[in-house]
Amino acid sequence: MLDNRYGGGAARSIAMTHLRTDVLPMLEGNYTGTVGRNLFRAAALVTHHTAHLLYDTGRHGAARRYLRLALDMAYHGHDRAFAAKILGTLAHQAVHLGDYREAVELAEAGLAEPGLTPAGRAALHAMAARAHARLRDSRATAISLSHAESSLSAGTPAQEPVWLRYFSGAELHDEIAHCLVDLRQARAARPHAEHGIAARTDRYARSIAFTRVVLATAWLQQREVERACQVATGALRATEDIQSERVRGYLAGFRERLRPFRNVPAARDFSYKAARMLR
């Protein structure tokens, strides 16, 4: 909850201490097979959360190590569905770092795991779509997004484990918007981004900030500079409360895309504010 609302920086040290002091030492104890499987499943969940906090704060090497550790724990716990979720997070990080083909391979590896729920399958298809869009493969993107939509519509949130209930219709709209902006289909991207923003509460403040930047980018692609800067300013204000290097990265990227419009007053004003807040 802290991660979603305030960013990885708000909870990273707490999670790291809990994992190292309380969780990992328990794995060295004695237990029956059943208790051991449940213990490794719980430890995988905590380790995955910790890795995500590290990822969000830009500690990518450590995040990947903890994600690999969480993956091993999930396999020890015989939880193949959660293993698939971790592979999806690795794919998400790979997209963020520009390793798009690796991201496709990781998402496909997740989809090959048994026991996937509708939302679990949808999330992996959506991540594959994100990677295909970055590779400018519009056909593969469309196929993956179609699979994501049909998978999500096959279930309900109540059927999902707690750790997958975040992947709702709003989340899928957000993923679609990301893909369409990357493919420079701005007009089609805007309604998806707007829906993703409107359907969320402040509980998901970081996700809202991401989607605001995506929406701002869509407006910018249509050369609506003032509208784009107005939308992006909402995400810029959020950085006062959200400790997330990923959010800062989104905003820095948007500021860079404003360079061709630096003679427009709205662009100059946003760049000035961003330079002060992001330094």
Side-chain angles (χ1 to χ4, degrees):
M1 185 174 65
L2 284 170
D3 184 29
N4 290 329
R5 175 65 183 85
Y6 298 107
R12 188 188 72 245
S13 61
I14 298 170
M16 291 288 290
T17 299
H18 176 52
L19 179 63
R20 291 171 175 171
T21 304
D22 303 322
V23 178
L24 295 181
M26 294 177 69
L27 302 180
E28 299 174 3
N30 297 315
Y31 33 75
T32 64
T34 299
V35 170
R37 284 191 294 275
N38 290 334
L39 179 59
F40 272 98
R41 289 179 181 182
L45 189 65
V46 175
T47 305
H48 175 267
H49 280 322
T50 304
H52 196 275
L53 296 166
L54 289 163
Y55 167 33
D56 194 50
T57 52
R59 290 158 172 79
H60 295 295
R64 181 165 293 197
R65 288 194 298 274
Y66 277 102
L67 286 170
R68 295 291 183 184
L69 178 60
L71 189 61
D72 287 342
M73 291 174 176
Y75 286 135
H76 277 299
H78 298 182
D79 193 343
R80 303 294 290 273
F82 192 61
K85 162 65 180 171
I86 298 166
L87 288 166
T89 303
L90 282 162
H92 198 294
Q93 184 190 36
V95 169
H96 182 76
L97 295 176
D99 300 325
Y100 307 131
R101 297 196 186 281
E102 181 185 2
V104 172
E105 292 173 1
L106 287 163
E108 289 177 347
L111 287 165
E113 292 288 353
L116 293 179
T117 63
R121 189 170 293 280
L124 287 160
H125 280 302
M127 198 45 54
R130 288 277 296 275
H132 288 309
R134 289 292 181 91
L135 291 167
R136 301 293 191 270
D137 188 337
S138 57
R139 182 175 180 276
T141 302
I143 291 171
S144 290
L145 287 178
S146 176
H147 288 321
E149 289 176 301
S150 60
S151 294
L152 190 62
S153 66
T156 64
Q159 296 174 301
E160 300 294 335
V162 172
W163 45 265
L164 254 179
R165 290 179 189 171
Y166 78 95
F167 200 89
S168 60
E171 186 75 13
L172 183 55
H173 277 288
D174 177 64
E175 299 290 358
I176 294 170
H178 273 82
C179 292
L180 294 176
V181 162
D182 285 338
L183 293 172
R184 300 194 68 81
Q185 297 176 20
R187 189 178 297 277
R190 277 182 11 229
H192 290 287
E194 289 165 353
H195 183 94
I197 293 167
R200 288 193 177 100
T201 66
D202 285 346
R203 179 182 177 186
Y204 293 99
R206 182 181 54 201
S207 293
I208 293 171
F210 289 145
T211 313
R212 285 189 187 281
V213 179
V214 172
L215 178 58
T217 303
W219 281 114
L220 192 62
Q221 287 178 354
Q222 294 187 279
R223 306 184 74 82
E224 295 282 355
V225 182
E226 291 185 1
R227 188 69 176 271
C229 291
Q230 180 185 19
V231 173
T233 297
L236 188 61
R237 293 194 193 102
T239 60
E240 296 176 357
D241 298 321
I242 301 173
Q243 300 175 46
S244 168
E245 286 302 312
R246 287 193 295 148
V247 170
R248 293 171 65 86
Y250 269 56
L251 285 161
F254 177 77
R255 185 185 176 215
E256 188 64 26
R257 285 189 285 273
L258 277 177
R259 283 186 178 275
F261 306 97
R262 55 185 173 272
N263 293 327
V264 178
R268 285 201 305 269
D269 182 55
F270 178 87
S271 293
Y272 174 73
K273 291 177 181 175
R276 291 179 58 199
M277 297 184 71
L278 299 178
R279 64 187 175 191

